[in-house]
Structures are given as C-alpha cells and as structure tokens.
C-alpha cells in the first residue's frame, strides 16, 4: 500500500458539509435572484397543490369557497416570498389581506403559515422593537377566525399561533447574532492581518536601516583608510619605495577586512537554510586597537585614554565601536593635514559609558559637513545611540580650540 495513501485520513463529513455550505452561500451572494426564484417557486407549487388537490378541506371551517378565490388567496400568500429578503415588511403587509380573507371565508389555507417565513426575515434584519406590529399583523387573521367561526377557546387558538411567531423570531435573532459574531471575527482577522503586514513592513524598514548603517560604517571607514594610505603611498613612492610598499600592503589588508565584514553582513540576508550565515561576532571594544592601528596607518595619529573597567554587553560595545569608527572616518575625510585625534572612554557601573572623540582638524571653507550626502553618518550614530536611550552630541569644539568633537553617553541599563 502506498504510504502516502495510508497516512491520508478521509475527509470528515462535517468539513465537506461546511465547504459545500460556503460555496452555496457564496453563489447566493453573487446571484441572489436564482435562489429566490427557486425558493418562491417551491412554496407557490406547494400552495397550488394544496388548492388543487383539496387538501385545504381537511382544516377548513367552510368548504363553500369559490375556486377563483382559493387560487387568488394561495398565490397572494406565496408569491410575496420572492421579496422576503429585499422587502420583508412590504411582503408581510401584502399577505395580510389574503390571510384575513382565508380566515373570514373559513378556508383556513395552510399557506398562511408562510407568513412565519417573512417574520423570520424581519427578525433577521430589523430590531426587536419593530416586530410587535409584525406579530399583530400575523395574529389578526387568528382573531378574525376565532370571532367568526368560534371553534376552540381563544387562548388555544391565539396561544399556538403566538408560540409559532415567537419561535420564528427567536430563530431569526439567533441567526442574526451568529452572523454578526462571524462578521466581527472576520473583521478582526482582517485587521490583525493588516496589522501583521504593517508590522512586517516596519520590521523590514528597520532592518534596511540597520543594514544601511552597517554598510555605511564598514565601507565608509575602510575606504577612508584606503584613501589615506593611497595618498601617503603616492607621496612616498618617489622618495621611499619601501614605505610605498608598506602602504600597498596596508591597503590590501584593509580591503580584505572590508570584504570579510561585507560578506558576513550580506550572509545574514540569505534565506537558504542549507547555507547558514557566518556566525562571526560583530566587532566590539576588544577590536578597537585593530581599528586604531588601521587609522594610524592611514596617517591620523590617535591617542586613547580609558577611565574605569569596561564591562558592556555586546550590543553596547558595537554601538561604541561604530560611533568611534564613524567619528574617525569623518576626521580622515575632513580633518585636513596634520590633524590628530583623541579618544576618552569613561566606564561607569551598570553598563554606563561616556565616550568623547575630538580632533584638531581645520578643514577648508566649503568642505562637506561631517555627514555623507545621504545622511547616513551622524543620523546613523544618533540612531544607534537612541537604541539604548543614550545621547549623542557632535559639532565644532568651542573657541579658541579648533576641530571637531563627538560625545556619546549611554546611560545605565534599566532593570528588567
């Protein structure tokens, strides 16, 4: 036996019935007239059979009713069902004269019970307070029959009909309540789906912003270092070929580091489960010395001063690392010749840290601001800092000092 066939369970009858019901309702919503014609035609045929076959005589108070009047009353009680969904009020009012005539003549046609179908549709669409007059219209023929023919007690005749009307109303209210509940669930499901899509879009936008920050920091810094090394190598080529060779070697090393970081970042975007992304950790404070060595090799002297013992979680370390990297990259780009930089790190308790990066650069009038044209520099640093509730200050140093200062403060971690 095929294992696939053996594991496949037969479809439950209830699921088949539900699916068939949904299809019928969907067809009815798209094409209501065919169903209305079939439904009305069935009951018109039943009323005519009752008239033509003489079945009405078994319950009649008088059998001396003209045939043309019986036919008219049978059609008058059944044809208005065609408008039971679109105009239930008008349809019920239209049947009342024929029901009264049936009670007055003593024919007591069974088609009078079709008024309960109209009462059901009224209960399905109108509030309960509007159903009192409908009950009165349905009970009016009963009062006429009890007054004219007087068979049985009043409470028996009116009580049985009133019970029928009550059942029709309760069924209509129950179906309406269930329908409203289902519509509310469907509306809630649609809203939840919309919110889910919006959350996915927001998450996608946030991920794109994070990737853009990482790409900017990686490419911007390494290209600035490579540019500095290339400029230095060009000047050294004529005077000291050995220094030029060292510069070329540093350029190659920096380029390989940049490619490695880019590959690691792009691997995160891959969705192929067979190729797991590189799990190399993001840079932290332990990688700061290597970063500074690269900057120094590009021609920017950097000094560091540390206060306290570093004890930061990886996320905060990455933020501090990227801010220092971006600040030094801007110094390489805009600081000008003979620029120096200094970094001060103040570590406090509970993962609080303050970092100040200053340089002595002077630049030239008209230089680009210390942020790239797409706004990924300083805004990117502020976004990183805001993730941990920190603050970032960036701007020229106060007069008479020259240069630029970047200060980041990450407050202590809030208790969980």
């Amino acid at each position: 036996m095929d294992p696939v066939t053996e594991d496949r369970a037969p479809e439950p009858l209830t699921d088949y019935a539900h699916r068939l019901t949904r299809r019928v309702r969907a067809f009815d919503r798209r094409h209501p007239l065919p169903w209305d014609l079939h439904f009305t035609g069935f009951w018109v045929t039943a009323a005519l059979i009752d008239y033509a076959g003489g079945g009405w005589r078994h319950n009649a108070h008088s059998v001396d009713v003209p045939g043309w009047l019986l036919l008219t009353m049978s059609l008058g009680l059944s044809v208005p069902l065609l408008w039971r969904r679109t105009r239930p009020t008008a349809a019920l009012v239209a049947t009342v004269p024929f029901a009264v005539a049936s009670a007055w003549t003593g024919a007591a046609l069974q088609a009078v019970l079709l008024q309960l179908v109209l009462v059901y549709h009224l209960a399905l669409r109108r509030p309960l307070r509007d159903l009192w007059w409908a009950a009165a219209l349905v009970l009016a023929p009963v009062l006429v029959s009890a007054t004219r023919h007087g068979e049985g007690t009043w409470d028996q005749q009116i009580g049985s009909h009133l019970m029928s009307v009550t059942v029709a109303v309760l069924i209509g209210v129950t179906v309406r309540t269930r329908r409203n509940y289902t519509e509310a669930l469907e509306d809630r499901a649609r809203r939840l789906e919309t919110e889910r899509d919006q959350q996915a879009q927001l998450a996608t936008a946030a991920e794109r912003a994070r990737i853009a920050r990482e790409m900017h920091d990686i490419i911007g810094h390494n290209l600035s270092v490579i540019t500095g090394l290339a400029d230095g190598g060009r000047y050294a080529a004529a005077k000291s070929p050995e220094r030029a060779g060292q510069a070329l070697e540093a350029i190659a090393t920096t380029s390989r580091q940049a490619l490695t970081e880019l590959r690691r970042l792009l691997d995160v975007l891959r969705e192929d489960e067979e190729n797991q992304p590189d799990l190399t950790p993001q840079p932290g404070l332990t990688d700061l010395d290597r970063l500074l060595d690269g900057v120094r090799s590009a021609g920017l002297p950097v000094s560091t001063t540390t206060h306290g013992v570093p004890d930061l979680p990886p996320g905060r370390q990455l933020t501090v690392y990227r801010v220092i990297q971006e600040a030094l990259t801007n110094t390489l780009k805009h600081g000008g010749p003979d620029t120096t930089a200094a970094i001060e790190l103040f570590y406090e308790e509970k993962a609080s840290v303050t970092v100040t990066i200053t340089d002595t650069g002077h630049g030239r009038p008209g230089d680009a601001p210390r942020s790239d044209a797409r706004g990924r520099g300083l805004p990117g640093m502020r976004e990183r800092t805001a993730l941990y509730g920190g603050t970032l200050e960036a701007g020229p140093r106060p007069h008479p000092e020259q240069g630029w200062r970047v200060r980041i403060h990450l407050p202590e971690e809030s208790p969980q």
Side-chain angles (χ1 to χ4, degrees):
M1 181 180 293
D2 187 358
V4 177
T5 306
E6 184 179 2
D7 294 339
R8 185 180 301 166
E11 183 180 16
L13 182 61
T14 54
D15 292 346
Y16 176 79
H18 289 164
R19 190 170 67 254
L20 181 62
T21 302
R22 285 195 298 269
R23 290 180 179 177
V24 172
R25 289 177 178 175
F27 178 82
D28 183 38
R29 285 193 296 268
R30 294 192 301 267
H31 311 285
L33 185 58
W35 173 250
D36 290 340
L37 289 174
H38 281 81
F39 183 85
T40 304
F42 174 82
W43 290 112
V44 169
T45 303
L48 293 179
I49 291 176
D50 184 58
Y51 149 71
W56 62 276
R57 298 176 182 274
H58 299 291
N59 298 317
H61 301 292
S62 173
V63 295
D64 299 327
V65 183
W68 64 269
L69 183 58
L70 288 172
L71 177 62
T72 302
M73 291 187 297
S74 298
L75 294 176
L77 290 170
S78 57
V79 171
L81 291 179
L82 184 62
W83 298 279
R84 74 192 188 283
R85 293 197 288 187
T86 56
R87 297 181 179 87
T89 302
L92 179 62
V93 172
T95 61
V96 171
F98 302 99
V100 172
S102 175
W104 182 264
T105 59
L109 295 176
Q110 295 296 313
V112 173
L113 296 177
L114 295 177
Q115 287 184 312
L116 298 178
V117 177
L118 300 174
V119 172
Y120 160 79
H121 282 278
L122 279 172
L124 199 61
R125 292 166 174 81
R126 302 293 295 272
L128 289 177
R129 63 176 179 272
D130 295 342
L131 297 179
W132 294 105
W133 61 266
L137 291 178
V138 174
L139 292 177
V142 181
L143 296 177
V144 171
S145 178
T147 302
R148 180 169 176 77
H149 303 286
E151 292 185 4
T153 61
W154 282 61
D155 58 340
Q156 290 177 343
Q157 296 187 44
I158 296 178
S160 61
H161 283 77
L162 183 60
M163 181 63 67
S164 300
V165 173
T166 302
V167 170
V169 169
L170 290 177
I171 295 175
V173 171
T174 301
V175 173
R176 181 177 65 182
T177 302
R178 180 176 177 82
R179 182 178 298 175
N180 292 341
Y181 178 71
T182 303
E183 291 176 354
L185 290 179
E186 292 176 351
D187 180 67
R188 181 182 179 186
R190 284 192 297 268
R191 287 189 285 107
L192 289 176
E193 184 176 358
T194 302
E195 293 176 2
R196 183 194 62 188
D197 294 340
Q198 292 175 347
Q199 291 294 331
Q201 293 174 0
L202 291 175
T204 301
E207 183 64 13
R208 287 177 177 174
R210 184 189 70 82
I211 294 172
R213 289 196 301 267
E214 296 292 337
M215 295 282 284
H216 171 271
D217 293 341
I218 294 171
I219 297 176
H221 171 76
N222 287 285
L223 286 180
S224 297
V225 172
I226 291 173
T227 301
L229 291 171
D231 290 339
R234 183 181 59 185
Y235 290 123
K239 300 180 180 180
S240 177
E242 182 180 354
R243 293 289 302 275
Q246 293 175 354
L248 290 175
E249 183 180 355
I251 289 174
T253 301
T254 304
S255 300
R256 282 192 290 268
Q257 291 176 353
L259 287 174
T260 300
E261 291 193 52
L262 284 176
R263 288 194 186 101
R264 182 174 66 244
L265 179 62
L266 294 177
D267 282 343
V268 176
L269 304 179
R270 300 174 62 183
E271 297 180 353
D272 188 357
E273 295 182 358
E274 296 181 358
N275 298 305
Q276 295 295 332
D278 189 358
L279 300 180
T280 303
Q282 291 279 27
L285 296 179
T286 55
D287 302 297
L288 195 57
D289 290 338
R290 187 176 61 182
L291 172 68
L292 298 181
D293 290 340
V295 173
R296 293 187 184 107
S297 64
L300 176 63
V302 182
S303 62
T304 59
T305 305
T306 303
H307 304 275
V309 179
D311 185 18
L312 300 179
R316 292 179 172 237
Q317 290 190 36
L318 176 62
T319 298
V320 172
Y321 180 93
R322 291 303 189 197
V323 169
I324 294 175
Q325 183 184 53
E326 177 64 22
L328 295 178
T329 301
N330 287 336
T331 300
L332 285 170
K333 288 181 180 179
H334 311 290
D338 301 326
T339 299
T340 62
I343 303 173
E344 288 187 284
L345 299 99
F346 295 87
Y347 296 104
E348 303 173 15
E349 296 180 354
K350 297 182 180 179
S352 177
V353 63
T354 301
V355 182
T356 304
I357 306 102
T358 58
D359 64 52
T360 60
H362 49 78
R364 296 186 304 272
D367 277 353
R370 299 217 173 177
S371 177
D372 66 317
R374 296 292 300 276
R376 297 292 185 188
L378 294 177
M381 289 194 288
R382 289 194 174 93
E383 290 174 1
R384 289 183 181 277
T385 307
L387 290 176
Y388 297 97
T391 56
L392 178 76
E393 301 173 3
R397 298 172 66 183
H399 188 75
E401 298 176 337
Q402 71 173 17
W404 196 267
R405 180 181 67 181
V406 176
R407 181 179 181 274
I408 175 179
H409 173 69
L410 300 182
E412 64 180 31
E413 291 185 292
S414 58
Q416 298 297 325

